[in-house]
Amino acid sequence: MKQFFHTLKLLAVSIFLATSATSCNDSEDEPKDPKWDIVGTWKTDSYDAGEDWDCYVFREDGTGIGVEHVNNLFGNADYWEFTYVYDPSGKTITMTCRDEDKYTYETEVFTITNINDYYLSFKDENNDNYDLAKCDYPLLTYHSECSGLTEDWLGDIVTHSCSSQANNYVVDIYPYYLWHNGYQSVTVTAIPQVDSWYSDVSVNISNTFPRKMTISVDKNTSTTSKKYYCLDIKLSTDNSEFTGLFFLHQEAATSSSGSSSGSSSSGGSSSGSSSSTEAQWGKVKVNIVAYSGYSGDSYVNWVDGQTDTVDYVYYPSTGKYYIYGGIFCSNNSANGGKGIRYEAKKGYNSIRIDGGADYYYIGTRRINYTWEVYMRATIP
């Protein structure tokens, strides 16, 4: 799988805290060199384009914020608050935060291995290292929680699915402003992408925190095709912005064809005889249909519209049909070259045989999308 995130090289800035300098002059016993001050916003210093960032915000008042997956586009940020005590002479940071049960507190001591105006490195009690670079601008991120939608993970990408019926779905969006000096309210907007996606979807943002994103979808009347939607989730303040992605696919309507596949009156099929208990094999021509969130996906464009002839089998003892994925499925060498075996039914079938995630660029912006390949067959 390709990775999804590009590397940002943060610019270094000098820290001049006038109030800190004044307080240091009042106490000759505890001189404080500003270059050892950890007050600031720090993020993971990594050149790995696929690595999620961590962020630590140290405020002057001894409070802070920790966030994992800051640059995750799919609303997967993990946020917590803490208090801390910084000991520059002992080179330690003692952090205290609430445990997951919200009633007890955990305290952990981190040992600083390097600190200056630009970089901060420390290790925890398990000797795990944290290498951070100082930010010169606020970071924005968010966490989302869905109601009424099913989550599906494709590697690091999360997608959501809904039924074919028209409906409204509510997604709670928790936007976070990560900065050590002051706070700005975060504006959240959601914009449907229209390039190769269905546009018959409306989005409304309400409430303050969490923001309520209501997605309204029309009924999918097709019995063969899913509908795919992609929303840009935009977070912005006066001095920072961030764009995430929300994927939604709507199931096809339920087809009435093949509903009587178990009926003994269907007769004329070579595989329909109930008097035999032996497996009954056959071959059937299939059509390949592929969908993609990017119109320039060369593989999807090539495979869409292809045809193949695949094997199927019927077991009279169980009344079950199975069909094999053939050369276009995700593992076409399985089952002696027949491909992966899928459960099917007598009559029309539309079966997902491949899919995944990829990305493309618009300028320097990386756009993530999903793709799927379906096999359509009618078993006699």
Side-chain angles (χ1 to χ4, degrees):
M1 176 178 289
K2 299 178 182 176
Q3 301 294 337
F4 305 103
F5 307 107
H6 70 287
T7 304
L8 290 179
K9 179 64 177 175
L10 295 179
L11 302 176
V13 295
S14 299
I15 305 173
F16 297 97
L17 299 174
T19 57
S20 296
T22 302
S23 63
C24 289
N25 292 336
D26 295 336
S27 174
E28 296 181 358
D29 296 332
E30 296 180 4
K32 190 175 183 182
D33 187 340
K35 74 177 182 179
W36 296 107
D37 200 337
I38 65 170
V39 171
T41 300
W42 309 80
K43 82 163 192 71
T44 305
D45 183 35
S46 172
Y47 292 93
D48 185 349
E51 183 176 333
D52 278 1
W53 298 346
D54 294 341
C55 177
Y56 291 87
V57 177
F58 295 98
R59 304 188 187 101
E60 284 190 81
D61 63 359
T63 64
I65 301 171
V67 181
E68 294 180 345
H69 317 299
V70 173
N71 57 331
N72 187 286
L73 301 179
F74 306 100
N76 197 36
D78 186 8
Y79 174 99
W80 69 94
E81 296 183 353
F82 60 82
T83 60
Y84 74 96
V85 176
Y86 172 55
D87 179 6
S89 59
K91 295 185 178 181
T92 60
I93 310 169
T94 303
M95 292 188 196
T96 301
C97 64
R98 286 194 176 187
D99 201 352
E100 293 181 356
D101 60 15
K102 307 300 183 184
Y103 296 102
T104 60
Y105 289 84
E106 286 186 342
T107 297
E108 188 168 4
V109 178
F110 299 87
T111 303
I112 296 174
T113 56
N114 181 39
I115 185 171
N116 55 42
D117 288 346
Y118 314 125
Y119 298 104
L120 169 63
S121 298
F122 56 84
K123 59 183 179 181
D124 61 19
E125 295 170 349
N126 295 321
N127 285 323
D128 293 329
N129 292 310
Y130 299 78
D131 295 319
L132 309 174
K134 193 161 193 180
C135 300
D136 61 346
Y137 59 86
L139 300 180
L140 299 180
T141 189
Y142 71 107
H143 175 77
S144 63
E145 295 181 359
C146 306
S147 175
L149 295 174
T150 301
E151 286 191 354
D152 300 307
W153 285 90
L154 297 172
D156 294 331
I157 287 183
V158 61
T159 68
H160 307 83
S161 61
C162 65
S163 73
S164 61
Q165 299 301 310
N167 208 341
N168 296 328
Y169 298 98
V170 177
V171 180
D172 287 337
I173 298 179
Y174 298 80
Y176 302 124
Y177 179 83
L178 307 179
W179 193 238
H180 56 281
N181 186 17
Y183 177 79
Q184 291 185 10
S185 61
V186 181
T187 300
V188 180
T189 56
I191 304 172
Q193 291 187 4
V194 297
D195 182 22
S196 73
W197 295 82
Y198 289 92
S199 58
D200 53 343
V201 58
S202 60
V203 185
N204 179 58
I205 301 290
S206 62
N207 204 23
T208 53
F209 188 89
R211 301 294 172 88
K212 299 285 187 181
M213 179 175 72
T214 303
I215 305 173
S216 301
V217 296
D218 293 339
K219 181 178 180 179
N220 185 4
T221 58
S222 172
T223 59
T224 59
S225 301
K226 292 183 179 182
K227 284 188 175 182
Y228 295 84
Y229 306 96
C230 182
L231 307 178
D232 278 344
I233 310 299
K234 294 184 177 291
L235 284 67
S236 60
T237 63
D238 292 341
N239 51 12
S240 191
E241 63 180 20
F242 179 81
T243 299
L245 293 172
F246 189 91
F247 289 119
L248 173 65
H249 70 262
Q250 186 182 26
E251 299 295 338
T254 303
S255 172
S256 60
S257 64
S259 59
S260 60
S261 59
S263 172
S264 60
S265 63
S266 56
S269 167
S270 62
S271 60
S273 173
S274 59
S275 61
S276 173
T277 58
E278 295 182 0
Q280 300 173 17
W281 291 83
K283 290 185 179 291
V284 64
K285 183 179 178 179
V286 299
N287 297 312
I288 305 300
V289 180
Y291 303 96
S292 172
Y294 173 46
S295 60
D297 189 311
S298 58
Y299 176 73
V300 170
N301 291 337
W302 172 77
V303 76
D304 186 37
Q306 297 278 0
T307 61
D308 190 16
T309 299
V310 302
D311 293 274
Y312 71 91
V313 60
Y314 172 68
Y315 294 96
S317 60
T318 62
K320 293 285 189 180
Y321 286 85
Y322 297 92
I323 193 168
Y324 293 81
I327 62 175
F328 297 110
C329 76
S330 58
N331 184 5
N332 53 26
S333 63
N335 295 301
K338 293 184 178 68
I340 297 174
R341 191 181 81 163
Y342 302 92
E343 188 168 344
K345 64 184 179 182
K346 180 181 175 67
Y348 178 80
N349 295 266
S350 180
I351 299 172
R352 184 182 186 274
I353 60 173
D354 201 1
D358 211 329
Y359 63 87
Y360 65 97
Y361 282 98
I362 298 179
T364 59
R365 180 185 170 200
R366 179 175 290 183
I367 305 297
N368 298 276
Y369 66 92
T370 58
W371 58 274
E372 295 184 289
V373 178
Y374 286 81
M375 174 179 68
R376 293 175 178 171
T378 299
I379 297 179

